[in-house]
Amino acid sequence: MNVFVVNCGSSSLKYQLIDSDTEEVIAKGLCERIGIDGSLTHKPTGKDNLVKKCDMPDHKSAVSYVLDALTDPVYGVIGDLSEIDAVGHRIVHGGERFANSVVINDEVIRAIEECNDLAPLHNPANLIGISACQALMPDVPMVAVFDTAFHQTMPKKAYLYGLPYEYYDEYKVRKYGFHGTSHSFVSKRLIELIGKEGQDSKVIVCHLGNGSSISAVRNGESVDTSMGFTPLDGLIMGTRSGSIDPAVVQFLCGKLNRSVDEVLTILNKQSGVEGISGVSSDFRDLEKASNEGNERATTALEIFTYRVAQYIGSYAASMNGVDAIAFTAGIGENNGKIRKAICDYLGYLGITIDDEANQTAGEEIRISAADSKVDVYVIPTNEELAIARETVALL
C-alpha cells in the first residue's frame, strides 16, 4: 500500500509517500510560503531532486503541485494517482474527542473544526489540507492522526489544572500534550529494545528540538507530559518560554503597554533560549557562542539541560521508578554534549553514560554504560512512518 502522508502548516505542506509493505520512503518534500510566492522541494528516492518556484495561492494548489511532482515523467515515482492507496493527515489537536486515529468523514471533520479554538494556527491549516486532498483524490480513503491522541490516557491528576472545575467542564481547559505521534513511536521502540513488551514498563521519552516535550509512559500509555493546554507550556524551547508564573503576562502587559495577545507572541516567538541568549534558537549556534565565551549563551544551555533533568526526575517519581530513557528529535538525536549534560544530573538514578557511544549522532544506539541502572538510548523519531502505520492499521 502506498500511503501519502500530509502535514499542513499555516503556510507550508510537508509530505512523504511511503510504501507501507517495506516502510521505505518513495518520495518526500516540502511546499513553503503558500499564499505568498511559493516554492516546492521534491525529493524522489533514487532520482534527482526537483526545486522550483510555484504560484501557490492556497493549500489546494500546493497539493496539486505535489501530486504533479509525484507523477512527473522525470521526477515522479508513480505512474498516476491511482497508485496512492490512502492519505494520512497529521492533525495537531483532537481535544478530548479523539484518543485514537480515525478514518475521516464529515462527522470527523466537524469534530476537528470544534477544536479550532484550541489550536487556531494549526487545526484550520490541517483541515485545509484534508479538503484539498479530498478535492483532488475524492475516492481515496483518508485518516486523521492526532498529536494529542497518545496523551489522552493521562489520568485526571495529571491533566487537570488548579482552576474552578467548571472551566474544565464548560471550556475543556486542561493539559493535552503534543508531539504525541513521536512519543508513541519512540516509546514503543524503547520498550522493544529493553525487552519489556507485554510487561510492566516505565519509560521516559525526551523529544528535544526547537519545540521540546517530555513524556512519562507506563506500560505503553502516556501518564504525563510536559506540554499543556498549548505547546507553550513545559520546557524552555527554541523561542518558547516554557512554564512561567502566569502573573508575568499581566505584569508585562502593564510594563510594555502591550495586549495579552502581543505578550503571548513574545512568549511563543521571542523567548526561550533565543530570548535568553540573544544569539539564536539553534543549539549549534548557542554552543559556538558559548565556546567563544558568551555567558548568556552558556546560561541558556544550562537552563535547558537543568529543566529537562527536572522533568525526568519528576516523572521517575510519578511512576515510582524508570526502566529506560530515550532521547529523540533534532537535539536529542544529534547533540551528545546536551545529552551528557542532562544525564550528569541523574546520577542518583544510577545512570552512567558511555562517552564513546554518546558521540554517535542520528542513529539508534544505547548510550548508557554497561553498569548503568537505567538504560539510556538515542532513538530517531519518524512521525511520518508512524502516521503511515496508523493509516494502514485503520484501513
Side-chain angles (χ1 to χ4, degrees), residues 182-385:
S182 176
H183 284 290
S184 175
F185 180 88
V186 173
S187 62
K188 285 182 174 65
R189 179 58 181 153
L190 181 58
I191 292 167
E192 289 176 6
L193 287 170
I194 64 173
K196 287 270 189 175
E197 295 169 274
Q199 304 176 44
D200 182 39
S201 61
K202 305 168 185 176
V203 302
I204 295 171
V205 176
C206 303
H207 178 110
L208 307 180
N210 192 265
S212 296
S213 63
I214 299 180
S215 64
V217 181
R218 180 80 184 263
N219 300 332
E221 295 186 341
S222 174
V223 294
D224 209 343
T225 190
S226 58
M227 284 182 169
F229 182 67
T230 74
L232 182 59
D233 196 15
L235 293 170
I236 183 175
M237 306 175 216
T239 62
R240 294 180 185 135
S241 66
S243 301
I244 61 169
D245 182 341
V248 170
V249 175
Q250 180 189 40
F251 180 83
L252 290 177
C253 285
K255 290 293 185 182
L256 301 175
N257 194 26
R258 303 281 185 90
S259 68
V260 171
D261 285 348
E262 289 173 320
V263 170
L264 285 177
T265 296
I266 293 170
L267 297 184
N268 272 293
K269 297 184 177 182
Q270 300 170 27
S271 300
V273 294
E274 181 178 279
I276 292 169
S277 69
V279 173
S280 174
S281 62
D282 190 308
F283 278 67
R284 291 167 295 189
D285 296 336
L286 292 180
E287 286 192 325
K288 182 175 183 293
S290 175
N291 292 336
E292 293 171 352
N294 186 311
E295 291 186 11
R296 284 172 55 184
T298 300
T299 298
L301 291 168
E302 288 176 345
I303 293 172
F304 180 79
T305 56
Y306 176 69
R307 299 280 173 84
V308 173
Q310 279 187 309
Y311 269 101
I312 291 172
S314 68
Y315 288 164
S318 68
M319 294 190 293
N320 195 21
V322 58
D323 299 312
I325 298 167
F327 290 99
T328 192
I331 299 166
E333 293 170 25
N334 296 294
N335 196 315
K337 187 174 181 180
I338 292 289
R339 295 192 298 254
K340 181 66 163 59
I342 292 165
C343 291
D344 282 346
Y345 284 103
L346 306 176
Y348 67 96
L349 293 174
I351 291 176
T352 53
I353 296 298
D354 180 332
D355 290 331
E356 183 177 348
N358 189 44
Q359 298 305 310
T360 304
E363 297 179 16
E364 181 177 284
I365 188 170
R366 173 177 164 154
I367 61 170
S368 51
D371 62 350
S372 181
K373 294 182 180 178
V374 176
D375 293 326
V376 183
Y377 280 86
V378 174
I379 301 177
T381 191
N382 193 330
E383 293 173 276
E384 289 79 12
L385 178 57

Side-chain angles (χ1 to χ4, degrees), residues 1-8 84-92 98 100-105 108-109 112 126-127 129-131 133-134 137 139-147 149 181 383-395:
M1 179 183 285
N2 288 335
V3 181
F4 182 42
V5 177
V6 178
N7 179 358
C8 276
I84 295 178
D85 301 297
V87 182
H89 291 270
R90 177 202 178 216
I91 310 296
V92 167
F98 297 105
N100 295 288
S101 303
V102 292
V103 177
I104 294 172
N105 55 30
V108 168
I109 289 173
I112 295 171
N126 301 155
L127 287 164
I130 292 173
S131 177
C133 287
Q134 287 178 329
M137 296 177 284
D139 299 322
V140 178
M142 303 193 187
V143 167
V145 180
F146 299 90
D147 269 10
T181 308
E383 293 173 276
E384 289 79 12
L385 178 57
I387 291 170
R389 286 176 175 174
E390 290 280 321
T391 301
V392 171
L394 278 171
L395 298 177

Side-chain angles (χ1 to χ4, degrees), residues 21-32:
D21 295 329
T22 63
E23 296 194 338
E24 292 181 355
V25 176
I26 304 171
K28 63 181 178 180
L30 172 67
C31 295
E32 296 180 279

Side-chain angles (χ1 to χ4, degrees), residues 107-129:
E107 181 183 355
V108 168
I109 289 173
R110 286 193 294 271
I112 295 171
E113 288 173 344
E114 291 171 4
C115 295
N116 280 0
D117 59 346
L118 296 176
L121 295 178
H122 296 92
N123 270 32
N126 301 155
L127 287 164
I128 290 169

